[in-house]
Amino acid sequence: MRFLAHRSTPTARAGRDARALPRLQPRYHRPRGWLAGIAAALACAALGTWGSAAQAAPTLLISGAGFGHGVGMSQEGALGYAQHGYDYAAILAHYYTGTALGRVPSDQAVRVLLHGKVRRMPLEAYVRGVVGAEMPGDWPLAALEAQAVASRTYALTDHAGGRRFDVYADTRSQLYLGARAQTAQTNAAVAATAGQIVTYAGHPAITYFFASSGGATEDVQNGFPGAEPEPWLRGVADPYDQGPQHHWSTNMSFAAAASRLRGLVHGSFRGIEVLRRGYSPRILSAYVLGSGGPTPVSGPELANRLGLYDDWAYFSVRNPSGVAPEPDLSGHGVAAPTPGAPPAATGEPTAGARAAVASAAPSDEPAGGTSATAGTSLGPAGGTSPE
């Protein structure tokens, strides 16, 4: 799983789950006598029964935060930092912990799988076709510059096609639209950062990014189950992320949830129990509860099955007696952090909850490892060597 900023929204599916009550059509327009009276009474009783059943059906309520996998740079957060006066070097330093800026040669090339064919193109031309496809072209220059450096670095570190090619031209890697994506502003951002990439300990560092963090990013091994931890891809507080999916909510019937979780529900669907959350706190593991017993599921799979923006989600159930939260053993008791405050501690991050998440909000002079004047030269071996 790679960049996931483009994912179908849960709200688009909501209307399909509605089930209209069957209408009772009388056999005669003007019934007469006691038989007609009995028929009418039975019809009303049946309609009342069905109405009560519909009212009694439990509903799964879901509230959450963020949009995407949560690893690396939040694009909405980068926008917020730019609006608060931070330059692209500081933005990159915040999201990619302990990194610096390095350079690749001006003639560096990248191999792109485009329309089923591998096309070798200059790296800078490729990045010009990516930045405007991945980020609105009218955003502040600092945000676009951060995207340009992240996209350039990602192109050299993705290795999506092994020895055959470097990146897909779609969101399996990052979206490339060529000249259609280019504007004067996005091209200016690419030109201002020409050749610059993110490095860690002198080597190119893969730069995952996504749409919206909801207030905190996530450790890579949590966002991508099975991935190895990386020191520059650790969860950080993201106080300036305020995109349209910063907070969100949706709901669905138990029948709809059971259908989407088909294969994970043993017996009849009873709800969801969260077991562990990550740093942000996105769901790491949970149980799908059924009358026949629980089934383990990862947070990313759960979000994907339910059609959620993100696996930062909390669950409740509404029934005739009211609304009750689903069991949650993670220790996180809130749906999203207060803007400017660090997320709740989880037991996973240590070192003083990572120094209170770098003092929760950025300072006027941000500390970071990225330096716009860093002069590390990587040469052709710094990223993907074109064949």
Side-chain angles (χ1 to χ4, degrees), residues 268-349:
S268 58
F269 178 66
R270 295 291 176 83
I272 293 170
E273 178 179 26
V274 174
L275 302 176
R276 295 176 59 242
R277 294 182 182 271
Y279 169 77
S280 54
R282 287 168 172 82
I283 296 172
L284 303 186
S285 61
Y287 278 141
V288 175
L289 303 177
S291 60
T295 304
V297 63
S298 71
E301 182 179 3
L302 184 63
N304 185 58
R305 288 290 201 101
L306 294 177
L308 308 181
Y309 288 114
D310 202 301
D311 48 11
W312 182 334
Y314 286 79
F315 302 94
S316 300
V317 173
R318 181 175 61 212
N319 54 43
S321 62
V323 175
E326 287 288 79
D328 192 321
L329 305 182
S330 69
H332 287 280
V334 294
T338 303
T346 65
E348 227 178 67

Side-chain angles (χ1 to χ4, degrees), residues 106-123:
S106 59
D107 60 351
Q108 180 77 47
V110 63
R111 299 165 302 168
V112 185
L113 185 63
L114 185 63
H115 306 307
K117 296 181 178 180
V118 177
R119 180 181 172 188
R120 186 171 182 241
M121 65 180 71
L123 178 60

Side-chain angles (χ1 to χ4, degrees), residues 23-103:
R23 291 188 178 184
L24 295 177
Q25 298 292 346
R27 184 182 294 268
Y28 306 102
H29 292 292
R30 295 180 181 178
R32 298 178 184 178
W34 65 275
L35 286 174
I38 292 175
L42 290 173
C44 290
L47 183 60
T49 300
W50 287 328
S52 298
Q55 292 174 358
T59 300
L60 186 66
L61 309 180
I62 309 170
S63 63
F67 184 13
H69 50 64
V71 179
M73 184 178 74
S74 158
Q75 293 169 313
E76 292 286 352
L79 168 64
Y81 272 99
Q83 290 172 332
H84 283 78
Y86 290 81
D87 65 16
Y88 73 93
I91 294 171
L92 294 167
H94 176 70
Y95 291 108
Y96 306 115
T97 304
T99 57
L101 290 181
R103 287 186 175 275

Side-chain angles (χ1 to χ4, degrees), residues 8 15 27 74 87 90 104 126 132 161 170 215 218 242 250 252 255-256 262 266 270 291 301 308 310 327 357 371 380:
S8 58
R27 184 182 294 268
S74 158
D87 65 16
V104 292
Y126 167 77
D170 55 39
E218 187 53 73
Q242 293 294 323
T250 188
M252 63 189 72
R262 186 176 291 111
H266 295 160
R270 295 291 176 83
S291 60
E301 182 179 3
L308 308 181
D310 202 301
V357 197
S371 169

